[in-house]
Every structure is written in C-alpha cells, then in structure tokens.
Amino acid sequence: MAIIRSFRDLRAYQRARNEASRVFKMTKTFPKEELFSLTDQIRRSSRAVKSMIAEAWGHRRYPAAFVSKLTAAIGEANETQSWLDDALDCGYINASQHEAFDAAWQSIGGMIASMIVKADDFCRSAC
C-alpha cells in the first residue's frame, strides 16, 4: 500500500470526487421541475460519498468509527445508484449513460468495501 498522508491521496476519494463532478454536470440537463427533488438528491448523495470517506479518514484512530463512516459512504453510493435508476426511468438519461454511471458507483462501493476489509492497515498509521 502506498503512503497515504491525506484523505485526498485515497483512490476511493479521488474517484468519488470525479464521479460526483460528473453527476453534477449530467444533472444540469434535468428539467427545472426536478431541481428540488431528483437533481438535489442525486447531487447530495454523490457528494456525500467523498465527504464520508474524508470524515472516515479523520476518525481512523478508532477503527469502529472508521468502518462506520465507510459503511455510510457505501450507503450513499448505493443511494446514488438508486437515483440513477430514477433518472433512467424518467428518460433524463439513456441506458448507456446509466450503465456507465452505475458501473462507476458500483466500483467506488467496491473500493470502499476493500478499505473496510483492510481497516486495520489504514487505522494503524493514525496512532
């Protein structure tokens, strides 16, 4: 494992940040009547993933807190996938866009799950 000095060095954080930006750009095409519902919700959940990874990093002195925050991050990634399903169902994105976004968030969830499995490695450096 490479030396990680900041949450910004974590690949999962970097990927979630990039995908949250892509979600923001994609939702600019959503209808105005979705601004305070689907648009707001998918932006919030996608941004929450990276924020929770950052927060987990700050809590890594306590392995249970680290794992708890990462578990919540997976939940937000799953929520983002659910909102993507709604965007597809409403015709705001097409099937290929949905597939690409969904695969990205599935991958991010897998990266976070891997961090949970290796929590002791991440938490050891916090002491």
Side-chain angles (χ1 to χ4, degrees):
M1 186 183 319
I3 295 175
I4 300 168
R5 290 179 168 63
S6 163
F7 64 87
R8 290 186 184 97
D9 296 330
L10 297 167
R11 284 183 299 138
Y13 176 85
Q14 294 165 1
R15 185 84 189 275
R17 183 178 177 190
N18 182 63
E19 290 303 319
S21 177
R22 288 185 62 228
V23 164
F24 179 82
K25 290 173 187 161
M26 178 255 304
T27 59
K28 286 183 174 186
T29 66
F30 287 7
K32 294 294 181 208
E33 62 265 17
E34 290 287 6
L35 184 61
F36 297 109
S37 52
L38 179 58
T39 302
D40 181 59
Q41 290 296 322
I42 195 170
R43 286 177 178 178
R44 183 205 50 77
S45 65
S46 66
R47 289 172 174 169
V49 176
K50 69 178 186 62
S51 298
M52 290 182 172
I53 293 169
E55 191 171 354
W57 181 258
H59 288 274
R60 72 190 189 287
R61 182 175 178 125
Y62 306 101
F66 180 75
V67 169
S68 177
K69 290 296 176 185
L70 290 178
T71 301
I74 291 174
E76 293 292 339
N78 289 341
E79 182 180 339
T80 300
Q81 290 177 280
S82 174
W83 292 121
L84 287 166
D85 291 347
D86 290 338
L88 176 66
D89 294 345
C90 292
Y92 303 149
I93 59 175
N94 63 41
S96 64
Q97 289 173 302
H98 179 270
E99 185 177 331
F101 276 104
D102 190 64
W105 287 104
Q106 188 68 31
S107 175
I108 291 166
M111 294 170 88
I112 298 168
S114 180
M115 289 176 67
I116 291 171
V117 169
K118 299 175 186 174
D120 288 341
D121 293 339
F122 288 98
C123 294
R124 188 174 313 136
S125 64
C127 297

